[in-house]
Amino acid sequence: MSLLSIEKLSLKIGNLSVLKDVDLSIAPGEVMGLVGESGSGKSMTALAIMQLTPTSARIKGRIAFNGIDILGATEQQMCALRGDDIGMVFQEPMTALNPVKTIGEQVAEGIRWHTRASRAEAEDRARKILDRVGLPDQKFPLTRYPHELSGGQRQRVAIAIACALKPKLLIADEPTTALDVVLQAQILDLLRELVAENRMSLLFISHDLAVVTEMADRITILRQGSVTETGETARTLSDANHPYTRQLALASMHVPARAAPHIDASGPDLLLDVANVTRDYPGRRKSLFSKPETVRAVDDVSLTMRPGASVALVGRSGCGKSTLARMILALDKPTSGTIKFRGLDITRATDDELRRPRRNMQVVFQDPYGSFDPRHTVERLIAEPLHLLDRKPDRKERRDMVVRALHEVGLNRSDLDKYPHEFSGGQRQRLSIARAIITRPKLVVADEPVSALDVSIRAQILDLFAALNHRLGIAYLFITHDLTVARAITDDVLVMHEGRIVERGKTTEVLANPSTKATQALVSAAPDLHRAIARKLQEQG
């Protein structure tokens, strides 16, 4: 008997068909993986189960949960179900949590609403569930606010809220996308334990096939709102009967074809020279009258890059990767040490002296939408770095330069007058890369540029980086926690741990034979599709 049964579910918003005759069922205690690219309808399926779809949505079909007709239920009935019998963990915990309420209040709120427990009883139960998800009261008191926690810790709070009342069904919508591989492994282990303890059903939504294979008993694959294939996870992915399933599997393991970059021989031999760089920040005060403690984010880091190099900077969240990147980009000054870019010490340079280095180094952020002004057109956004040029181009030259940058990233002149919201996530990342390369920089710092993209779009963006490296000779420092990406796109790797570079060398050699505990932890925690399928098939005999 199914706990959740979805039959012929169709959903339209305006003239757009978001879901088309979707069938899906989950048995008690079963983990179902829901996989597909961005826009395939995964999250909308979850919202339909929770009856949280937009008011303009038109829904047909049937959703039955534990004998209850979800689509026919009143809002009062759904309020009783949400958080009690059905829990949901959203992708981004910082937006799902209330920034002005403590974590204790937020976990206790649902307990009090559904059980009518007293404040003290609810706080006691909140303390226990937070301890269960790895946030013991001794280290993480209930009085903490979300901004005082790391990304992984905030995700644990979101899981605690969803699981506080031991729901029959837990929906996890991309719960590990923004986490490093070690934190991801911890969160996945936690979800497995909670499912086993409470015989809970889990609908696990993700675009990462390796993670889904590790987690799910069965898998349903969505494409453009329709189910293309469903079945036992490892068997479905290993057989890959449907062309789209094969496409997803190949994209998740995609390695770009790379050729040697064309290097400008007239430039200096050394592009970047970071020597003994340290960065300290003031920490929390122990008391009102005490001095703040010093937090060392980067500790005596040295590295060099040559023109056209492709280097991965990997490590866990909070290890200092982004702080180091900000100093390399001259957006932050080191406490000690020097950073030379093409021979110029940028740590001591004036703003006027930094104009040329800033023209020759650009950045691609993880979330392009957050780095664009939504009120500006593509032409204006892509042209932003052109103010760094010695000679300002006129309007026609500027437009021609923007069009050329768009063509180099696979976009068209017709996109010039559009706005960021009119593009998909992958297209926005292409716009971000176009903006970065328009000044023909010598170095691009890419800070987690593919972590939020689905596997097909990720493969396209990695191909684009490889092509730009070859055609334009652009060197890139690729900051990532995804070792699959590091293997695919870079020649050399730097492993950062607690502010220090603990291991460095050729990417394939370091990741195949890690010598430090920090690197070994990253490699062992990294999901691998081939390995996950083989293990699942072996377990099934």
Side-chain angles (χ1 to χ4, degrees):
M1 181 182 174
S2 297
L3 175 69
L4 176 72
S5 177
I6 298 176
E7 298 173 5
K8 301 294 182 186
L9 179 65
S10 295
L11 187 149
K12 276 190 173 185
I13 299 177
N15 294 322
L16 178 65
S17 292
V18 181
L19 298 174
K20 307 164 191 172
D21 292 333
V22 171
D23 291 329
L24 184 149
S25 64
I26 305 177
E30 182 181 40
V31 179
M32 167 64 78
L34 187 59
V35 174
E37 296 177 275
S38 298
S40 62
K42 305 187 301 295
S43 294
M44 198 58 74
T45 302
L47 293 175
I49 294 168
M50 298 289 284
Q51 221 188 84
L52 293 174
T53 53
T55 53
S56 60
R58 304 190 305 278
I59 304 178
K60 293 181 181 179
R62 180 173 177 270
I63 303 177
F65 171 76
N66 204 28
I68 300 169
D69 178 10
I70 293 290
L71 297 182
T74 64
E75 181 59 21
Q76 185 177 5
Q77 290 172 312
M78 289 306 303
C79 285
L81 284 176
R82 297 184 199 117
D84 189 359
D85 288 332
I86 307 176
M88 188 162 181
V89 181
F90 294 94
Q91 178 174 350
E92 178 46 66
M94 195 60 185
T95 56
L97 298 176
N98 190 330
V100 299
K101 285 190 174 183
T102 65
I103 61 173
E105 287 178 296
Q106 295 188 64
V107 178
E109 186 176 33
I111 296 171
R112 292 181 63 195
W113 198 92
H114 285 286
T115 66
R116 303 295 185 233
S118 66
R119 182 178 294 275
E121 290 172 334
E123 284 187 359
D124 185 57
R125 290 177 66 172
R127 191 175 289 108
K128 287 177 180 175
I129 187 63
L130 285 169
D131 181 66
R132 179 64 194 83
V133 299
L135 298 175
D137 189 45
Q138 297 82 358
K139 287 186 176 181
F140 304 95
L142 301 185
T143 52
R144 283 205 177 185
Y145 288 88
H147 72 270
E148 298 179 284
L149 304 176
S150 69
Q153 290 162 355
R154 287 194 290 265
Q155 194 62 285
R156 289 172 185 269
V157 174
I159 291 171
I161 293 171
C163 297
L165 294 167
K166 300 181 179 179
K168 296 181 175 67
L169 173 66
L170 178 64
I171 301 171
D173 189 1
E174 301 276 13
T176 62
T177 295
L179 305 181
D180 67 58
V181 288
V182 176
L183 281 176
Q184 174 176 264
Q186 293 173 3
I187 295 298
L188 296 179
D189 285 340
L190 172 61
L191 288 172
R192 284 191 200 96
E193 290 169 10
L194 291 171
V195 166
E197 281 176 16
N198 304 318
R199 204 168 180 266
M200 186 190 301
S201 297
L202 173 63
L203 178 61
F204 190 88
I205 299 171
S206 180
H207 61 250
D208 191 325
L209 291 185
V211 170
V212 171
T213 305
E214 293 273 5
M215 288 292 295
D217 304 311
R218 289 192 303 124
I219 189 172
T220 295
I221 299 174
L222 281 179
R223 184 188 188 192
Q224 296 177 356
S226 299
V227 174
T228 61
E229 198 163 1
T230 188
E232 188 278 316
T233 304
R235 189 68 59 192
T236 300
L237 294 177
S238 61
D239 294 345
N241 293 319
H242 195 281
Y244 183 63
T245 307
R246 290 196 294 273
Q247 177 186 325
L248 286 179
L250 288 172
S252 68
M253 298 176 285
H254 177 71
V255 176
R258 299 173 61 214
H262 296 294
I263 305 299
D264 180 6
S266 64
D269 290 338
L270 206 58
L271 180 68
L272 180 69
D273 184 7
V274 178
N276 308 109
V277 164
T278 296
R279 183 65 173 100
D280 296 333
Y281 290 103
R284 301 180 71 174
R285 297 175 184 269
K286 288 185 177 179
S287 67
L288 181 63
F289 302 103
S290 65
K291 290 184 178 180
E293 296 176 342
T294 298
V295 176
R296 179 150 290 183
V298 175
D299 187 5
D300 194 27
V301 166
S302 298
L303 65 96
T304 59
M305 286 182 67
R306 296 194 175 278
S310 56
V311 178
L313 181 62
V314 303
R316 297 190 58 184
S317 298
C319 71
K321 303 189 300 294
S322 294
T323 301
L324 178 59
R326 287 180 58 81
M327 291 189 289
I328 290 171
L329 291 163
L331 299 174
D332 199 358
K333 287 189 177 293
T335 305
S336 63
T338 60
I339 300 174
K340 292 182 179 179
F341 182 76
R342 308 189 86 203
L344 175 69
D345 184 355
I346 62 174
T347 58
R348 293 172 176 81
T350 64
D351 285 343
D352 285 340
E353 291 172 330
L354 283 173
R355 286 180 64 85
R356 187 175 293 274
R358 282 180 170 151
R359 184 178 73 205
N360 283 307
M361 62 169 85
Q362 292 292 326
V363 62
V364 177
F365 294 102
Q366 177 177 357
D367 179 13
Y369 198 63
S371 65
F372 288 148
D373 188 325
R375 301 168 299 174
H376 293 170
T377 64
V378 162
E379 180 179 3
R380 182 169 174 180
L381 292 168
I382 304 303
E384 279 179 346
L386 294 180
H387 77 278
L388 296 168
L389 298 180
D390 294 331
R391 186 185 71 83
K392 303 296 185 293
D394 61 31
R395 181 171 176 78
K396 182 181 183 304
E397 287 177 311
R398 188 179 70 172
R399 175 164 269 227
D400 289 343
M401 293 173 77
V402 172
V403 170
R404 184 176 65 176
L406 288 174
H407 284 160
E408 284 172 337
V409 300
L411 296 174
N412 303 308
R413 176 184 284 269
S414 59
D415 296 319
L416 281 173
D417 298 320
K418 293 181 181 178
Y419 291 86
H421 72 270
E422 298 180 76
F423 296 87
S424 69
Q427 289 171 328
R428 283 197 290 266
Q429 197 61 287
R430 288 175 182 270
L431 292 175
S432 186
I433 295 170
R435 179 172 62 179
I437 67 171
I438 194 169
T439 59
R440 289 297 186 265
K442 304 300 181 185
L443 172 67
V444 169
V445 177
D447 192 357
E448 300 280 11
V450 297
S451 64
L453 304 179
D454 59 57
V455 290
S456 296
I457 301 300
R458 183 181 74 170
Q460 294 172 16
I461 297 299
L462 294 181
D463 281 339
L464 177 58
F465 270 105
L468 293 172
N469 176 245
H470 168 63
R471 291 202 314 268
L472 306 179
I474 295 174
Y476 49 83
L477 181 64
F478 213 95
I479 300 172
T480 182
H481 59 248
D482 189 333
L483 302 190
T484 306
V485 170
R487 284 191 187 96
I489 199 68
T490 62
D491 296 321
D492 299 285
V493 66
L494 304 167
V495 182
M496 202 165 183
H497 181 67
E498 294 182 350
R500 300 181 69 91
I501 302 292
V502 296
E503 196 164 352
R504 67 183 78 207
K506 293 296 179 184
T507 305
T508 51
E509 295 171 8
V510 170
L511 298 185
N513 300 292
S515 60
T516 64
K517 288 184 178 179
T519 313
Q520 290 165 2
L522 288 172
V523 171
S524 62
D528 182 274
L529 182 58
H530 283 309
R531 197 169 58 209
I533 290 174
R535 184 165 54 248
K536 276 284 180 77
L537 292 175
Q538 188 177 17
E539 289 172 358
Q540 294 162 8

